[in-house]
């Protein structure tokens, strides 16, 4: 388990991280979400030792991280860092060798990854001549080629088309299934929602919410309800609840208590047929909006 405890960091007089704490469990995909400038990249760089924290602790299975431990990491920065004039396969093999793999193991892992990521036909192409999406796939291969035990990936899905997104998702799921803790950031909340097991939401350098998808949905979804009736549902606005959206006979509202929600249900039954009434499971986008307000 990767654990971040009370990390603080400032650049000059500007505080960018304040008591940032969360865990990334083994075999679990943890989505790290926040607006630009929220502190995601700084946190990841501190985990990797690229930056130092002013205070706080990063540990792995209870022990402080050292240089040897960090060799077990696979890191993908948001900025592409491959040598543009090197051929793709040559680049990935070279990076594998820097991690200590034998020539045979480096070549084997490179070939397997390029095939899995759909880059086998680009193996002898220079990095700079690849499309942006294929450069992103090559960057992912570079992060995985040495069989890392922990993954920290900054915007791994940026610039990928839907087919490539599915391919990369499959690769990352396989790594998590092998027991690796996987931490990744993304602005694409729909991808995070269907891929991750756990979420960390950061805003203004502080963690606003963290936990499993189920925990966060329960925490932020208890007071929200969906109502579908046969006629117009505009009347819901007059029932003492906060209306989130109304579209014809479909209404989503927030109630202070289950009893208040039942008042709306009884009013709906008095008016006619109710097609659906249930607590609404919030999307990640809804949770994100709520916790950063």
């Amino acid at each position: 388990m990767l654990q971040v405890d009370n990390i603080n960091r400032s650049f000059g007089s500007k505080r960018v991280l304040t008591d940032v704490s969360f865990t990334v469990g083994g075999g679990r995909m943890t989505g790290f979400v926040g607006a630009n400038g929220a502190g995601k990249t700084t946190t990841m760089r501190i985990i990797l030792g690229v930056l130092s924290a002013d205070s706080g602790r990063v540990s792995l299975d209870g022990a402080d991280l050292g240089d040897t431990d960090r060799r077990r990491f696979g890191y993908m920065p948001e900025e592409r860092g491959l040598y543009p004039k090197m051929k793709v396969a040559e680049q990935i093999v070279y990076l594998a060798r820097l991690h200590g793999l034998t020539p045979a193991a480096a070549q084997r892992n490179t070939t397997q990854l390029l095939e899995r990521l759909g880059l086998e036909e680009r193996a002898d192409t220079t990095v700079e001549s690849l499309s942006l999406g294929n450069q992103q796939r090559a960057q992912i291969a570079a992060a995985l080629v040495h069989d890392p035990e922990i993954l920290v990936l900054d915007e791994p899905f940026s610039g990928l088309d839907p087919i490539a997104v599915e391919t990369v998702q499959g690769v990352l799921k396989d790594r998590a299934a092998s027991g690796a803790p996987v931490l990744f950031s993304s602005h694409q909340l729909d991808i995070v929602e269907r891929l991750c097991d756990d979420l960390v939401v950061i805003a203004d350098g502080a963690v606003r919410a963290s936990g499993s998808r189920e925990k966060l949905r329960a925490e932020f979804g208890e007071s929200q309800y969906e109502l579908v009736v046969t006629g117009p549902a505009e009347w819901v606005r007059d029932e003492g609840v906060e209306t989130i959206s109304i579209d014809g006979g479909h209404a989503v509202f927030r109630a202070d208590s289950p009893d208040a929600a039942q008042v709306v249900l009884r009013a709906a039954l008095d008016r006619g047929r109710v097609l659906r009434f249930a607590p609404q499971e919030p999307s990640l986008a809804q949770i994100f909006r709520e916790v950063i307000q």
Side-chain angles (χ1 to χ4, degrees):
M1 179 175 69
L2 177 67
Q3 189 156 353
V4 177
D5 289 312
N6 298 312
I7 293 296
N8 291 279
R9 173 72 197 209
S10 297
F11 293 108
S13 61
K14 181 176 176 58
R15 175 68 69 89
V16 294
L17 296 178
T18 303
D19 293 329
V20 170
S21 298
F22 60 88
T23 60
V24 184
R28 295 181 71 81
M29 304 277 291
T30 299
F32 195 24
V33 299
N36 289 332
K40 302 186 299 298
T41 296
T42 300
T43 301
M44 289 181 161
R45 288 175 175 171
I46 288 173
I47 291 171
L48 268 295
V50 178
L51 288 174
S52 61
D54 296 333
S55 62
R57 180 177 186 238
V58 181
S59 60
L60 183 64
D61 297 330
D64 288 341
L65 281 175
D67 291 341
T68 300
D69 298 308
R70 288 188 169 98
R71 294 192 185 105
R72 299 158 59 191
F73 280 65
Y75 175 49
M76 187 188 126
E78 184 177 8
E79 306 85 3
R80 293 182 175 89
L82 301 179
Y83 297 110
K85 296 190 181 300
M86 286 184 75
K87 295 179 180 179
V88 174
E90 178 186 7
Q91 169 83 118
I92 306 305
V93 168
Y94 172 69
L95 293 172
R97 295 283 289 130
L98 288 180
H99 279 285
L101 272 66
T102 65
Q107 186 61 60
R108 181 187 66 246
N109 286 7
T110 296
T111 299
Q112 291 175 350
L113 272 171
L114 294 185
E115 288 177 354
R116 183 73 192 277
L117 291 166
L119 285 175
E120 66 272 22
E121 294 183 0
R122 300 287 187 269
D124 293 324
T125 303
T126 61
V127 171
E128 66 182 356
S129 64
L130 295 176
S131 67
L132 293 180
N134 281 336
Q135 287 184 28
Q136 187 79 341
R137 296 194 209 197
Q139 191 81 52
I140 292 167
L144 301 177
V145 69
H146 57 293
D147 291 324
E149 299 175 33
I150 306 101
L151 292 180
V152 178
L153 310 171
D154 201 351
E155 296 289 342
F157 302 102
S158 177
L160 298 181
D161 61 46
I163 294 176
V165 166
E166 293 296 326
T167 298
V168 172
Q169 283 180 355
V171 171
L172 298 185
K173 284 181 179 178
D174 287 348
R175 295 287 171 156
S178 72
V182 179
L183 175 69
F184 71 97
S185 70
S186 180
H187 287 97
Q188 295 158 280
L189 297 182
D190 57 327
I191 295 175
V192 177
E193 185 157 25
R194 66 175 180 263
L195 184 59
C196 68
D197 303 297
D198 303 304
L199 297 170
V200 178
V201 181
I202 188 170
D204 298 323
V207 172
R208 299 290 183 85
S210 65
S212 68
R213 285 183 302 180
E214 294 74 18
K215 171 183 175 292
L216 293 182
R217 281 172 172 163
E219 181 178 347
F220 293 96
E222 289 179 345
S223 64
Q224 194 162 300
Y225 295 83
E226 179 185 31
L227 173 70
V228 182
V229 294
T230 52
E234 286 293 334
W235 55 267
V236 174
R237 301 185 190 278
D238 301 321
E239 295 297 325
V241 295
E242 178 188 350
T243 55
I244 297 170
S245 66
I246 295 178
D247 183 9
H250 181 272
V252 177
F253 64 91
R254 186 176 288 112
D256 293 335
S257 67
D259 287 343
Q262 289 297 316
V263 169
V264 177
L265 175 59
R266 285 193 292 272
L269 290 169
D270 289 342
R271 285 173 167 79
R273 188 179 174 193
V274 175
L275 303 179
R276 177 175 172 80
F277 177 80
Q280 188 181 59
E281 187 175 78
S283 68
L284 174 56
Q286 290 170 322
I287 293 172
F288 179 75
R289 285 194 296 269
E290 184 162 342
V291 300
I292 67 171
Q293 288 177 349

